[in-house]
């Protein structure tokens, strides 16, 4: 199956008309149908494709071009931007640091063994062989218990366009996430701002959103089956990706089926994280996924070589978070679900720090 593509322009248009006055009944029905598509897809697949008129192909290409140049720089240069004392939540994370949850979570390993063989993930042999760069997007709160999760960004030397490019692409993807969050809330029968209000801390400040592109060296790690990101879920609220130049992302649907994702040109991929699972009392589960070298990846590598292009696989990933000092708990009618007790009130920042410890990004002072 292919994921549906939702064009956000229609929702934006109808919402603008609603803000100016009452909507005609037909437009109200259309809006609610669009929102039901978003919430239903996130619930059933953990993923969604969207097209946002504010996020252009040119924006994505400009970002990918810059990150390919950065990841192509020598290792000793990139390590200058690493901040292990801040849990790698800003700056560079070298390859060999981030540990996939499937490597250390015994419950997850047991569940994998019960999967049909054709749907099982590729089992990694060690830490992920990918680089990552963490860039905070949006104003940080002045007063928070989680200063390391809200630290100032790191700018590498020799990239004068860095801040503007990162902030521009990051802010556009956050805008898309906010629209999807509104639509999901309406589709789930909640108030429109149920999710987006938790993504902010006060009027001016945002949650610790991270533009977090990965860089995978396909020259060194380009053999079939190589695991760049082992089977895992994301700990944040919603994750959004621009289209990568090299395929390789697979997701698991709620029915257990494994599916390689195909992102059409001009589209963005949304994935559910653990924070939305918490807020919906398990109705919308965190989506499981992995990134590996597939046959489609190999085809893209050959094409890039023919074009004399970079063969660093860059993902334009952004992790949208609930504000660090906000409380995660099932919202509205989700508090009445049979499994709501599995999601007790938890401070979002405490939750994030606990999860970072599991995947080896908290308290790590050096490199292996």
């Amino acid at each position: 199956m292919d994921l549906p593509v939702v064009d956000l322009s229609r929702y934006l248009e109808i919402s603008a008309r609603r803000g100016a006055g009452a909507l005609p009944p037909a437009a109200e029905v259309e809006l609610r149908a669009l929102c039901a598509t978003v919430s239903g897809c996130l619930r059933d697949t953990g993923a969604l494709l969207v097209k946002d008129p504010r996020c252009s192909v040119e924006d994505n290409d400009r970002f990918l071009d810059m990150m390919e140049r950065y990841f192509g720089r020598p290792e000793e240069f990139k390590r200058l931007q690493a901040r292990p004392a801040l849990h790698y939540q800003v700056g560079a994370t070298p390859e060999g640091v981030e540990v996939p949850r499937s490597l250390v979570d015994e419950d997850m390993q047991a569940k994998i063994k019960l999967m049909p063989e054709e749907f099982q993930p590729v089992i990694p042999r060690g830490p992920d062989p990918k680089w990552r760069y963490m860039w905070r997007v949006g104003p940080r709160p002045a007063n928070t218990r989680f200063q390391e999760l809200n630290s100032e960004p790191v700018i590498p030397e020799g990239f004068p366009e860095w801040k503007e490019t990162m902030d521009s692409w990051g802010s556009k993807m956050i805008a898309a996430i906010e629209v999807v969050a509104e639509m999901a809330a309406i589709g789930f029968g909640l108030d429109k701002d149920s999710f987006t209000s938790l993504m902010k801390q006060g009027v001016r400040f945002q949650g610790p959103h991270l533009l977090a592109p990965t860089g995978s060296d396909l020259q060194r790690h380009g053999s079939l089956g190589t695991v760049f990101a082992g089977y895992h879920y994301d700990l944040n609220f919603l994750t959004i990706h621009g289209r990568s130049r090299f395929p390789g992302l697979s997701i698991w649907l709620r029915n257990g089926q494994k599916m390689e994702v195909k992102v059409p040109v001009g589209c963005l991929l949304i994935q559910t994280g653990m924070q939305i699972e918490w807020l919906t009392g398990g109705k919308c589960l965190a989506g499981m996924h992995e990134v590996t070298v597939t046959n489609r990846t190999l085809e893209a590598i050959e094409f890039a070589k023919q074009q004399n292009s970079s063969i660093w696989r860059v993902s334009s990933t952004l992790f949208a978070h609930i504000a660090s000092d906000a409380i995660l708990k099932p919202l509205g009618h989700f508090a009445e679900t049979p499994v709501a007790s599995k999601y007790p009130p938890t401070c979002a920042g405490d939750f994030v720090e606990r999860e970072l410890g599991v995947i080896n990004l908290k308290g790590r002072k050096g490199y292996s």
Side-chain angles (χ1 to χ4, degrees):
M1 64 169 287
D2 290 326
L3 294 173
V5 177
V6 175
D7 190 337
L8 302 186
S9 59
R10 186 60 181 153
Y11 174 83
L12 291 168
E13 179 186 331
I14 296 175
S15 293
R17 289 167 58 194
R18 176 190 257 180
L23 281 178
E28 187 71 41
V29 169
E30 183 182 0
L31 183 144
R32 294 198 172 275
L34 285 169
C35 294
T37 297
V38 168
S39 60
C41 195
L42 293 178
R43 179 193 65 227
D44 296 338
T45 70
L48 175 71
L49 291 168
V50 300
K51 182 173 287 189
D52 189 324
R54 302 165 298 180
C55 300
S56 70
V57 174
E58 292 74 22
D59 291 331
N60 190 45
D61 284 344
R62 179 185 176 211
F63 175 81
L64 293 178
D65 289 345
M66 185 183 75
M67 293 312 304
E68 285 176 352
R69 287 192 292 112
Y70 172 78
F71 285 124
R73 295 292 297 273
E75 180 175 332
E76 56 270 22
F77 170 80
K78 291 179 289 190
R79 283 185 180 269
L80 295 174
Q81 288 87 54
R83 299 293 184 270
L86 297 176
H87 314 337
Y88 297 106
Q89 291 303 286
V90 291
T93 304
E95 63 178 62
V97 170
E98 196 169 336
V99 175
R101 189 157 193 134
S102 55
L103 205 61
V104 295
D105 188 324
E106 294 182 356
D107 289 341
M108 187 177 288
Q109 292 168 359
K111 291 177 182 178
I112 289 173
K113 291 179 181 178
L114 296 176
M115 292 179 180
E117 188 172 340
E118 66 269 27
F119 296 152
Q120 288 184 5
V122 181
I123 304 302
R125 299 177 182 176
D128 292 337
K130 70 175 185 294
W131 285 77
R132 190 188 288 282
Y133 204 99
M134 299 287 207
W135 179 264
R136 296 272 168 219
V137 179
R140 306 270 67 84
N143 299 309
T144 174
R145 288 201 297 119
F146 305 96
Q147 200 60 50
E148 69 277 12
L149 298 180
N150 293 274
S151 303
E152 289 301 310
V154 178
I155 302 176
E157 292 185 4
F159 289 83
E161 76 279 30
W162 186 274
K163 186 177 188 305
E164 193 277 329
T165 300
M166 300 294 265
D167 286 345
S168 174
W169 186 231
S171 62
K172 289 180 179 183
M173 290 208 290
I174 288 175
I177 283 276
E178 289 175 340
V179 171
V180 170
E182 284 185 1
M183 296 177 75
I186 295 170
F188 283 131
L190 301 171
D191 290 340
K192 172 182 173 179
D193 66 348
S194 294
F195 296 137
T196 54
S197 62
L198 293 172
M199 294 169 66
K200 299 178 174 65
Q201 188 162 320
V203 177
R204 293 180 52 226
F205 303 115
Q206 296 185 345
H209 309 314
L210 276 170
L211 181 56
T214 60
S216 304
D217 187 354
L218 295 171
Q219 185 69 48
R220 295 173 54 230
H221 304 294
S223 57
L224 186 65
T226 298
V227 181
F228 287 121
Y231 182 74
H232 69 288
Y233 59 76
D234 291 341
L235 60 87
N236 53 298
F237 172 58
L238 291 173
T239 302
I240 184 168
H241 311 265
R243 186 175 186 269
S244 175
R245 290 167 175 163
F246 297 90
L249 174 67
S250 294
I251 65 172
W252 275 258
L253 308 181
R254 191 152 185 168
N255 64 8
Q257 180 183 346
K258 180 180 181 180
M259 183 179 79
E260 188 173 358
V261 177
K262 299 176 182 178
V263 180
V265 174
C267 290
L268 302 164
L269 173 69
I270 310 281
Q271 292 179 276
T272 53
M274 184 54 74
Q275 290 178 343
I276 194 172
E277 178 174 331
W278 216 273
L279 296 172
T280 61
K283 188 70 171 179
C284 189
L285 298 177
M288 303 303 300
H289 51 284
E290 70 179 4
V291 179
T292 63
V293 175
T294 67
N295 286 320
R296 290 178 62 230
T297 317
L298 296 178
E299 292 171 3
I301 291 173
E302 285 307 308
F303 179 77
K305 287 179 176 178
Q306 292 170 12
Q307 301 297 312
N308 199 27
S309 301
S310 170
I311 53 171
W312 275 86
R313 183 191 188 276
V314 174
S315 70
S316 57
T317 301
L318 184 139
F319 299 120
H321 279 261
I322 299 303
S324 300
D325 295 276
I327 300 300
L328 296 173
K329 62 180 180 180
L331 301 176
H333 61 86
F334 291 122
E336 309 302 322
T337 62
V339 296
S341 60
K342 290 176 55 180
Y343 304 95
T346 302
C347 180
D350 288 331
F351 173 79
V352 169
E353 290 199 331
R354 187 167 64 245
E355 291 284 316
L356 290 176
V358 174
I359 60 174
N360 210 35
L361 294 184
K362 182 180 178 184
R364 176 118 176 186
K365 303 302 182 185
Y367 307 114
S368 58

